[in-house]
Amino acid sequence: MDTRIITDLNEESLSTLGTMIRAGALVAFPTETVYGLGANALDPEAAKKIYAAKGRPSDNPLIIHLAEVADAALYCEVPPLYKKLADAFLPGPLTVIMKKKPIVPDEVTAGLDTVAVRVPSHPMARALIRAAGVPVAAPSANLSGRPSTTCAAHVIADLYGRIDAIVDGGESEIGLESTIIRLDGERVTVLRPGGITKEMLCDLCGEENVSLGASVTEQFIGSDVPMAPGMKYKHYAPRSQVVLLEGEDDAFVSFTAKKKGCGVLCYDGQAERIRAARPAEDEAIIKTFGRQERREEQAHGLFAMLRAFDDEDFTGTVYAPMPEKDGIGLAVFNRLIKAAGFHVVKL
Ligand code: TXA
Ligand code: MG
């Protein structure tokens, strides 16, 4: 399949892409979180094409993307709490699970009676959804099992030739997927942490009303029923084995300095110290993903760095620090511990 790359969204290209989406095409597009692989959410055949292009198990439901907050009522039963959350956080990196209306095909929700709804803030995403005139079902635009894509080059690496078009909107600002929540009356359960943090939800809804789903911090055990089906898969997996090291900064530096031929994913400032402490002849691949105290820099850089190890065909062990779990750090922790398959070593 020929994949068109579009760098300029103007009236003409938007109209073409809108027509393509309505007709069942697959179009990758930028959002403020990660790139999405979009298709007409009202077309069961288009949803099936998404699963095929990604190599994604079809029991893993898709998020539907809307241009306007108010459109949610067309596709699901909207509880009062949704409006309060939307006033505070939408458009933005928050996905809300709600009871679906029959118009949403089972292929999109993988047979669930709920649907995940998101109103992205990225202007190109909103323009594209408006041009399509239909809700846009979109998982992250990566091959299943690979890190989500945060720029067009990553989408091209995974999906070129498998999809109809890629809209290039530069780098995704946040770099990790949206926060996913479930609502029960006044209560909010975080199924996947992201840019709308637990602290932000607590400020709005009251600490007593916000909890973390087990899938945020714990490993999926075969017999459990996951609340967000996608959380059970070993996600964001680079080709190398990732191991998280829990301990002080100095202990991280001295541990990684002693490991022969390893990979290191570390904070800015640690790389120089690790290199200085290593024997000159033993080359390690050392990459940084932001300053230790700046969780948003780590979120922004994480997936690109995991991909960079793959691009160098590195298949050894990559050591990374256990992230701090406050703010968007919780999302960084959640993605890294999954990339590591829950492999943690205490220093
Ligand atoms: O930031 C994002 O959310 C990105 C961009 C493209 O918007 N999208 C994204 O989609 O991350 P995806 O498909 O990679 O992740 C969606 C997650 C999966 O873990 C899936 O199981 C869960 O949402 N999910 C979708 N519908 C659900 C539902 N009805 N109930 C529970 N979980 C659901
Ligand atoms: Mg994904």
Side-chain angles (χ1 to χ4, degrees):
M1 180 190 296
D2 277 344
T3 303
R4 294 168 63 170
I5 313 274
I6 290 125
T7 48
D8 184 21
L9 275 194
N10 50 40
E11 214 175 303
E12 195 190 328
S13 58
L14 275 171
S15 153
T16 306
L17 289 166
T19 306
M20 284 168 67
I21 289 176
R22 280 194 302 282
L26 300 185
V27 177
F29 63 97
T31 83
E32 70 280 15
T33 58
V34 297
Y35 274 66
L37 176 56
N40 181 352
L42 303 181
D43 176 353
E45 294 310 314
K48 285 188 199 156
K49 279 161 69 177
I50 291 182
Y51 290 106
K54 279 187 59 116
R56 175 177 173 124
S58 58
D59 67 347
N60 191 1
L62 307 173
I63 296 174
I64 69 168
H65 294 66
L66 309 175
E68 306 300 334
V69 167
D71 289 351
L74 300 171
Y75 309 106
C76 50
E77 311 291 345
V78 178
L81 184 52
Y82 179 74
K83 183 164 182 343
K84 182 169 162 179
L85 289 159
D87 285 346
F89 303 127
L90 298 183
L94 180 70
T95 297
V96 184
I97 312 278
M98 292 179 277
K99 194 155 179 7
K100 87 173 186 80
K101 289 191 169 168
I103 186 173
V104 182
D106 285 341
E107 285 76 2
V108 167
T109 62
L112 297 178
D113 62 357
T114 54
V115 60
V117 177
R118 162 154 148 73
V119 184
S121 61
H122 196 296
M124 288 169 104
R126 298 187 76 192
L128 184 70
I129 300 163
R130 275 198 203 101
V134 289
V136 173
S140 48
N142 52 283
L143 285 176
S144 193
R146 299 214 62 206
S148 296
T149 48
T150 54
C151 64
H154 297 165
V155 183
I156 290 169
D158 276 19
L159 296 172
Y160 192 84
R162 302 171 73 92
I163 63 177
D164 298 282
I166 298 170
V167 179
D168 183 349
E171 276 185 33
S172 290
E173 187 189 331
I174 297 175
L176 298 179
E177 308 85 346
S178 61
T179 304
I180 302 181
I181 57 173
R182 203 182 69 176
L183 311 180
D184 298 289
E186 293 296 303
R187 295 192 55 79
V188 174
T189 307
V190 178
L191 305 184
R192 181 176 73 182
I196 301 300
T197 63
K198 182 174 185 241
E199 290 86 341
M200 291 159 80
L201 293 166
C202 287
D203 281 349
L204 185 76
C205 304
E207 216 167 309
E208 67 286 5
N209 288 319
V210 181
S211 54
L212 292 182
S215 59
V216 174
T217 53
E218 287 160 32
Q219 193 162 13
F220 174 75
I221 311 291
S223 61
D224 294 356
V225 177
M227 287 196 282
M231 301 304 275
K232 76 183 177 201
Y233 296 106
K234 183 177 172 186
H235 254 178
Y236 325 113
R239 296 187 182 110
S240 44
Q241 172 63 53
V242 177
V243 174
L244 293 192
L245 300 179
E246 188 156 24
E248 297 299 313
D249 163 78
D250 280 346
F252 181 86
V253 170
S254 56
F255 182 97
T256 51
K258 287 191 205 97
K259 288 281 171 188
K260 269 191 130 197
C262 69
V264 185
L265 176 62
C266 60
Y267 302 127
D268 297 358
Q270 289 180 319
E272 294 318 309
R273 290 159 56 213
I274 296 166
R275 269 195 204 98
R278 292 181 70 90
E281 70 285 0
D282 181 24
E283 287 280 320
I285 301 187
I286 304 177
K287 298 187 186 296
T288 59
F289 72 136
R291 285 171 285 179
Q292 178 159 14
E293 66 285 3
R294 299 298 291 270
R295 323 273 190 260
E296 74 285 0
E297 290 180 5
Q298 298 156 28
H300 182 80
L302 178 62
F303 286 150
M305 285 307 130
L306 290 179
R307 274 180 182 266
F309 282 104
D310 285 353
D311 292 347
E312 294 183 30
D313 288 324
F314 183 74
T315 53
T317 301
V318 174
Y319 294 99
M322 174 66 84
E324 307 288 342
K325 300 185 192 68
D326 57 332
I328 199 171
L330 183 66
V332 174
F333 159 76
N334 169 264
R335 304 320 189 264
L336 252 182
I337 196 133
K338 280 166 191 278
F342 288 81
H343 196 143
V344 178
V345 171
K346 288 206 164 63
L347 296 177

